[in-house]
Amino acid sequence: MNCFSRLILKFGSIAHSFMKKRWPLWLILIHWLTFLVVVGMFASGLWMVDLTYYSDWYKTAPHWHKSVGLLLFTVTLVRLVSRISTQRPPTFGNKFDNLASKLGHRAIYLVLLALFTSGYLISTADGRAIDVFNWFAVPGFGEFIENQEDLAGEVHFYLAWTLIVLTSLHGLAALKHHFIDKDDTLKQMLRLR
């Protein structure tokens, strides 16, 4: 084996062990982007319900909300696939912390997927497609159940609040790891480790 081949193998093993110790940067960026979008979507959703027909934002705000929601759905699917295919870095904390982390993450993903589904059911109850920033359209299949738009809207509302509570608990758990346990959990997601 020549010197160049050994150098490549050595670099590969260093890179592989490095990847095991931390999340890839692009996954960390998606994590924080998702957080910002979820908070923004929650705030805009609360604001939109009070818009009147005569407001300048009456049609624009829902269009943006739906468009961003569908793009976040796509990013979430990519994130789920990558979480399954990417080796998880070492975790910190005791067995209870690790179990709570797994259950919390699964709950967040489940609520996100249910939130996307309910939003889709609201928007397509009348059979119209959803235009995503006028780039492309996601087809609508109409009403599956009676009063679909209202029922899905109520579910969407409670799921949004549930997601905010879960993400708040997630953030508090990260702060607990940082300030009380004094481990590298938060640093790992801030790429400071």
Side-chain angles (χ1 to χ4, degrees):
M1 185 180 288
N2 66 28
C3 183
F4 182 71
S5 298
R6 278 184 283 188
L7 184 64
I8 292 209
L9 284 173
K10 184 70 174 167
F11 177 76
S13 76
I14 290 170
H16 183 67
S17 67
F18 179 74
M19 287 300 290
K20 286 182 181 178
K21 293 181 182 172
R22 58 184 356 180
W23 289 109
L25 180 60
W26 66 274
L27 262 179
I28 292 172
L29 292 174
I30 286 176
H31 171 271
W32 291 107
L33 176 68
T34 299
F35 167 72
L36 293 174
V37 171
V38 163
V39 170
M41 293 288 281
F42 180 74
S44 72
L46 290 178
W47 169 69
M48 282 188 325
V49 297
D50 290 332
L51 292 176
T52 65
Y53 180 77
Y54 300 104
S55 169
D56 293 338
W57 289 96
Y58 184 74
K59 289 187 178 183
T60 306
H63 172 72
W64 285 12
H65 190 85
K66 294 173 201 177
S67 296
V68 171
L70 285 167
L71 293 177
L72 183 60
F73 170 66
T74 305
V75 168
T76 301
L77 289 180
V78 168
R79 191 171 172 197
L80 278 169
V81 168
S82 64
R83 281 289 303 257
I84 292 166
S85 62
T86 303
Q87 185 173 356
R88 186 179 176 89
T91 56
F92 305 97
N94 56 39
K95 286 182 181 180
F96 175 77
D97 287 345
N98 291 330
L99 178 63
S101 173
K102 283 181 183 175
L103 293 175
H105 280 97
R106 288 179 183 163
I108 288 172
Y109 282 121
L110 186 65
V111 170
L112 267 172
L113 293 173
L115 198 56
F116 298 136
T117 303
S118 63
Y120 176 81
L121 292 174
I122 296 166
S123 302
T124 60
D126 61 2
R128 283 186 284 172
I130 303 172
D131 286 322
V132 179
F133 291 119
N134 298 322
W135 298 334
F136 61 92
V138 175
F141 297 106
E143 199 171 64
F144 295 108
I145 58 172
E146 194 175 329
N147 295 328
Q148 175 177 308
E149 187 174 4
D150 294 333
L151 292 171
E154 194 154 333
V155 168
H156 196 72
F157 175 81
Y158 288 112
L159 286 171
W161 274 104
T162 302
L163 184 62
I164 291 300
V165 168
L166 287 172
T167 54
S168 297
L169 291 172
H170 179 68
L172 288 172
L175 293 173
K176 175 221 175 246
H177 275 281
H178 188 72
F179 292 109
I180 295 173
D181 300 342
K182 300 197 183 305
D183 63 32
D184 285 345
T185 301
L186 183 59
K187 289 180 182 177
Q188 197 174 53
M189 289 311 292
L190 294 172
R191 202 68 172 200
L192 298 174
R193 223 179 70 178

